[in-house]
Every structure is written in C-alpha cells, then in structure tokens.
Amino acid sequence: MTDFDGKTAIVTGASGGIGEAAAKRFAEEGASVVVADLKVEEGEATVADIEDAGGEATFVETDVTDPADVGAMVDAAVDNYGGLDFAYNNAGIEGEQAPLSDQSIDNWQQVIDVNLRGVFLGMRAEIPAMLEDGGGAIVNTSSIAGRLGFPEISPYVASKFAVIGLTKTAALEYSAEGVRVNAICPGVIDTPMVAHSREEDPQSIDQAVAATPIGRLGQPEEIGDAAVWLCSDDASFVTGEAFTVDGGYSSQ
Ligand code: NAD
C-alpha cells in the first residue's frame, strides 16, 4: 500500500477484461475502488477478489449511457469513501463488424452511446466531485482504433477518435484547476472482447500478433499499470495525452 492510500478510484467496465485488471491494480496501490459495470455477478467477483487480497471495493451496477446511473456511481464513491480522486472511464463495446454502408443505424448508435456518450457522462459527473475534493486524475480508454482506421468497425473507430478529442478538451478546461485528463490507446489486449473476435474469425488473432512488433497480445494488467501510472504523482505533468500502449502496433 503506497501512493493511493486514502484515495478513491472509479473504474467502469470493471467486471472483466482491462477494467477488472485496472480495478485490482488501483486497489493494490491502496485506493478504495468503485467497480462499475452492467454485469452484476462478474462485478461482485471483482470486488471479492480485491477484498480477498486485502483491498477495499464496492460494486455499483452502472450503465454508463444512463446519466442517473453515472450520477449514482459518483455518489457511491463520495458517500462510501469521502470523495473522488481518480476515474478510469473504460467501459466499451466493439459492436458489429460490417463495411460502413452495411452498418446498421442501431449498431452505430449503440457503439457511440457506450464508448463516447459513456465517457462524456462519466467525466461530466466525475469532474465536479474531483474539484470538490482538491482535484484528481481521469483516464479514458481510447484505442489504437483512435489513431488508425480499421476496416469493418467504423462506429468503433469514430468513437475512439472522438474519445481523444474529448480527453484533450477536458484537459484544457480543467488541468489548471487540478484535474489531469488523459487517454490510453491500447493495442490488441487478451480480454473477452478479443476472445469474441477470435470466435468470429479465428485468424484475426494470429494477424494481430503478426502486426504487433513485440510479437504477442498485450495483457490487461499492462493497461491497468498504465492507468495507475497516469493517475499517480509520477505523471504530475502529463495531461491531454493519448498514451499508446500497443507493443509497437501503431509505430509502423
Ligand atoms: P471487455 O468486453 O472484456 O470488457 C468490457 C466491460 O465493459 C465488460 O465488463 C462490459 O460488461 C462492460 N460494459 C459494456 N457496456 C457497458 C455499459 N453500457 N455500461 C457499463 N459497463 C459496460 O472489453 P476489454 O477488452 O476489457 O475493453 C475495455 C476497453 O478497452 C473498451 O473501451 C475497449 O474498447 C478498449 N480496448 C480494448 C482493446 C482490446 O484489444 N481488448 C484494445 C483497445 C481498446
């Protein structure tokens, strides 16, 4: 227990994948963690794992597209733990794969709602709570698909580019008041989202590994480490940054 002793963190999408790993990393560093997700059983399992390891966490059933849920998520941090210091707005969905002219309007809306509206609603509720508490740090999950085009997932790519724009604008607006805002652009990370892609197209993972100079998929903990670092005092002069953690994928 070091840096984050006495601090509070919210992690969305923390019932599995990157969010679960990040929630555990924040707790390991001493933060009390609000685990927010749609999936109740898996979210409660994340909390149980944190508690078993000696940490502190609470699950809050949250749909990040719903302003009332997002408000209740932030209230849970303030009411249970006395304030809000860090937020990792990470919940996201890939959506259906199809060329742009075959994309359904429903799929477009769903992906934009979760990945973009969710980050907007999250920051909108988190920033006032952080300002009340002397400042804080926010990390949003973008993607290498916020840096590069990827065929068949145009709504996803559009949402992840937009997350970087939101991140930079929030950083301009709030850094002087003590809230740093950054994004992480993960490469291909071994999570349930990628397992789903593997089911759809078994060769897609081999192709992703071949396109990753480091020669393997990333692990969710490696993204959790980056989120923890961006929230720590070690990153005290870092704001408005889209931090790529992709094994070199987007460097070619
Ligand atoms: P995942 O599917 O394993 O986990 C996503 C979590 O978000 C799930 O627990 C899900 O229940 C939750 N979620 C979905 N919709 C939600 C909603 N409306 N409200 C609350 N929670 C919701 O995915 P992951 O791979 O861990 O991805 C996490 C984030 O990282 C996403 O934003 C994703 O776009 C991004 N990302 C993933 C990769 C990758 O290769 N896995 C790469 C780049 C970016």
Side-chain angles (χ1 to χ4, degrees):
M1 300 295 178
T2 54
D3 239 354
F4 294 171
D5 233 359
K7 305 282 189 187
T8 304
I10 289 172
V11 181
T12 70
S15 290
I18 291 170
E20 175 186 351
K24 290 177 178 174
R25 284 292 294 111
F26 277 100
E28 273 170 28
E29 295 298 330
S32 301
V33 182
V34 172
V35 169
D37 203 293
L38 287 172
K39 291 183 187 158
V40 176
E41 212 173 297
E42 293 89 337
E44 284 173 348
T46 302
V47 168
D49 287 349
I50 288 172
E51 289 173 344
D52 287 350
E56 174 66 41
T58 306
F59 176 72
V60 180
E61 186 177 353
T62 308
D63 179 347
V64 297
T65 70
D66 180 341
D69 276 14
V70 172
M73 170 186 88
V74 171
D75 287 349
V78 174
D79 295 347
N80 291 352
Y81 301 124
L84 179 63
D85 302 286
F86 312 129
Y88 184 24
N89 296 307
N90 161 78
I93 58 172
E94 189 177 61
E96 288 157 18
Q97 298 192 8
L100 192 148
S101 59
D102 295 334
Q103 282 283 345
S104 71
I105 292 170
D106 282 352
N107 184 56
W108 166 268
Q109 198 58 54
Q110 205 187 353
V111 172
I112 296 293
D113 278 352
V114 178
N115 296 3
L116 181 55
R117 176 182 159 97
V119 170
F120 166 70
L121 291 177
M123 290 202 288
R124 185 170 167 269
E126 291 151 4
I127 287 168
M130 289 180 179
L131 293 175
E132 281 278 306
D133 203 23
I138 294 176
V139 179
N140 300 316
T141 302
S142 177
S143 171
I144 48 173
R147 298 289 205 184
L148 307 167
F150 281 85
E152 309 258 319
I153 51 169
S154 49
Y156 184 83
V157 171
S159 71
K160 295 299 188 180
F161 268 74
V163 164
I164 294 178
L166 266 187
T167 299
K168 288 185 180 292
T169 302
L172 293 180
E173 291 175 349
Y174 295 102
S175 294
E177 292 180 73
V179 179
R180 293 184 298 104
V181 188
N182 293 289
I184 297 179
C185 300
V188 187
I189 311 300
D190 197 3
T191 70
M193 183 183 277
V194 163
H196 177 70
S197 302
R198 186 186 276 129
E199 277 163 28
E200 301 237 312
D201 174 7
Q203 289 181 335
S204 64
I205 302 306
D206 293 342
Q207 287 163 358
V209 170
T212 303
I214 253 177
R216 62 173 175 83
L217 299 183
Q219 293 303 308
E221 293 74 17
E222 293 176 292
I223 306 303
D225 286 342
V228 161
W229 181 77
L230 283 168
C231 288
S232 75
D233 287 345
D234 291 344
S236 53
F237 202 53
V238 182
T239 194
E241 172 66 7
F243 184 44
T244 302
V245 185
D246 70 349
Y249 192 111
S250 60
S251 296
Q252 20 198 359

